[in-house]
Amino acid sequence: MLCVRAGRAFMVLFDRCIIQVFHAAALFALIHSCRGQSEVIGPLQPVVALIGDDIILPCNLDPVMDAFGLAVEWARPDLDPRFVLLSRHGVDLESKKHPSYTSRTSLFTDELKNGNISLKISKVKLSDEGTYRCFVPELDRYTTVQLVVGAASSSAAWINSTISSSRVVLQCESAGWYPEPELLWLDGEGNLLSAGPTETLRGPDDLYTVSSRVTVEKRHSNNITCRVQQRNTNQSRETHIHVPDDFFIVISPPSNQTNDPNIIAVVIGALVVLILILAVSFVVWKKRRAKCNSMCPFLLSKVNIYHCIVSV
């Protein structure tokens, strides 16, 4: 009888253990099943930032799950070390980062529970441009985000010169651009003006300077626009310049064309002849004075010497 009761108690305990193991296994399977269904989602288009901006590279878990207990890795394959940010249980492992990102990258810790594992980069540099990898090792899922970094600056335009009664040369220049921009000239109605080739210089900081000149005709509207734009970063700067009617002045040609080669030759020849006459006259005068001194030593006054030279 005692053996039967002991057997029954053992069976009850065994059943309870089986149920607990089953529940634990089911819960474990459910958790891993949910994790397996979550995807790491990033933006479809590149993210554009200007130098000095704070920028966010989006990355989220879909469907939403708590990412606080997960490892999150942001990396750039072209760097060594490649990690831009490495997080464990919401803690940023600063020592694992590439030195150029020290104290400049972070996660939104309060948003991890909502599956938001986006990366914030502070004070963007030109060297930050590249492809970033958002990876969650426990899910074995990742996505990539392309960051395009640009720079834009204001432009300046001015009247360079007046070349005729109805034409004026304008010049425009703008520095501090990346990537290389294009420079356009527009008239008062927004029509594109035909201009000379754009001059482009790239400085040691990898930023571009562009400049261009355009010749404009006298029009009813003398409002001209210089536009510098960069399509990849969707940046544009404009400078408007008004050409007063006073600048369209009449330039009359001089009455004597001193730039005529024949006239110049005649002038030079006349100067040479004059110099020769003066030289000969001086030599003759010197000889007569010397002769006068030898012939008339008794004549000491300047007047007498003058009369002596003349009479010789």
Side-chain angles (χ1 to χ4, degrees), residues 193-302:
L193 296 175
S194 177
T198 301
E199 297 181 5
T200 303
L201 296 175
R202 189 171 188 178
D205 53 2
D206 288 332
L207 300 181
Y208 290 90
T209 298
V210 291
S211 61
S212 175
R213 294 183 181 182
V214 66
T215 302
V216 298
E217 304 287 340
K218 184 175 182 180
R219 298 166 182 254
H220 176 69
S221 174
N222 300 330
N223 296 313
I224 307 299
T225 299
C226 169
R227 177 184 297 167
V228 183
Q229 61 186 24
Q230 215 298 317
R231 298 185 185 276
N232 292 345
T233 58
N234 197 30
Q235 295 297 313
S236 178
R237 301 289 188 272
E238 291 185 352
T239 298
H240 304 282
I241 183 170
H242 176 73
V243 184
D245 290 333
D246 296 345
F247 278 90
F248 293 103
I249 59 176
V250 177
I251 303 177
S252 301
S255 57
N256 54 341
Q257 299 292 333
T258 57
N259 58 344
D260 190 331
N262 295 327
I263 296 178
I264 293 175
V266 171
V267 173
I268 293 176
L271 289 175
V272 171
V273 172
L274 179 60
I275 292 172
L276 289 175
I277 292 173
L278 292 175
V280 171
S281 300
F282 179 75
V283 172
V284 172
W285 180 81
K286 289 286 290 184
K287 287 182 177 181
R288 287 186 176 185
R289 183 173 182 178
K291 187 176 181 180
C292 180
N293 289 335
S294 62
M295 293 177 62
C296 313
F298 59 89
L299 300 174
L300 299 177
S301 67
K302 293 182 179 179

Side-chain angles (χ1 to χ4, degrees), residues 43-89:
L44 298 179
Q45 301 296 327
V47 176
V48 178
L50 295 180
I51 294 176
D53 286 352
D54 293 345
I55 194 67
I56 297 173
L57 303 185
C59 188
N60 294 273
L61 299 181
D62 186 27
V64 173
M65 64 174 295
D66 189 353
F68 188 84
L70 303 177
V72 178
E73 298 178 0
W74 278 92
R76 273 180 57 183
D78 59 319
L79 297 180
D80 184 22
R82 70 181 189 277
F83 292 115
V84 172
L85 180 140
L86 187 60
S87 175
R88 294 285 189 270
H89 301 287

Side-chain angles (χ1 to χ4, degrees), residues 19-246:
I19 292 173
Q20 291 179 357
V21 171
F22 176 77
H23 285 169
L27 181 60
F28 181 81
L30 180 61
I31 293 175
H32 280 266
S33 175
C34 291
R35 287 186 175 182
Q37 292 175 2
S38 293
E39 296 290 339
V40 178
I41 307 299
L44 298 179
Q45 301 296 327
V47 176
V48 178
L50 295 180
I51 294 176
D53 286 352
D54 293 345
I55 194 67
I56 297 173
L57 303 185
C59 188
N60 294 273
L61 299 181
D62 186 27
V64 173
M65 64 174 295
D66 189 353
F68 188 84
L70 303 177
V72 178
E73 298 178 0
W74 278 92
R76 273 180 57 183
D78 59 319
L79 297 180
D80 184 22
R82 70 181 189 277
F83 292 115
V84 172
L85 180 140
L86 187 60
S87 175
R88 294 285 189 270
H89 301 287
V91 178
D92 186 356
L93 305 181
E94 189 78 19
S95 61
K96 301 294 183 180
K97 292 181 182 179
H98 188 278
S100 64
Y101 290 91
T102 301
S103 301
R104 291 200 304 121
T105 56
S106 60
L107 298 178
F108 296 91
T109 307
D110 295 340
E111 290 293 321
L112 291 176
K113 62 180 181 295
N114 299 322
N116 183 359
I117 53 176
S118 301
L119 176 71
K120 179 181 178 181
I121 304 178
S122 302
K123 299 179 181 178
V124 170
K125 304 177 181 179
L126 190 58
S127 59
D128 291 341
E129 182 171 276
T131 301
Y132 292 74
R133 184 173 183 259
C134 176
F135 177 57
V136 180
E138 288 91 339
L139 304 180
D140 195 24
R141 295 289 188 272
Y142 73 92
T143 189
T144 58
V145 183
Q146 182 73 27
L147 176 61
V148 176
V149 178
S153 180
S154 60
S155 58
W158 63 91
I159 298 175
N160 183 279
S161 62
T162 303
I163 60 177
S164 75
S165 60
S166 61
R167 293 192 298 166
V168 170
V169 177
L170 306 180
Q171 184 166 341
C172 182
E173 183 175 301
S174 186
W177 285 81
Y178 188 87
E180 181 181 350
E182 59 179 337
L183 192 153
L184 307 173
W185 288 98
L186 306 173
D187 64 13
E189 290 73 37
N191 300 315
L192 191 65
L193 296 175
S194 177
T198 301
E199 297 181 5
T200 303
L201 296 175
R202 189 171 188 178
D205 53 2
D206 288 332
L207 300 181
Y208 290 90
T209 298
V210 291
S211 61
S212 175
R213 294 183 181 182
V214 66
T215 302
V216 298
E217 304 287 340
K218 184 175 182 180
R219 298 166 182 254
H220 176 69
S221 174
N222 300 330
N223 296 313
I224 307 299
T225 299
C226 169
R227 177 184 297 167
V228 183
Q229 61 186 24
Q230 215 298 317
R231 298 185 185 276
N232 292 345
T233 58
N234 197 30
Q235 295 297 313
S236 178
R237 301 289 188 272
E238 291 185 352
T239 298
H240 304 282
I241 183 170
H242 176 73
V243 184
D245 290 333
D246 296 345

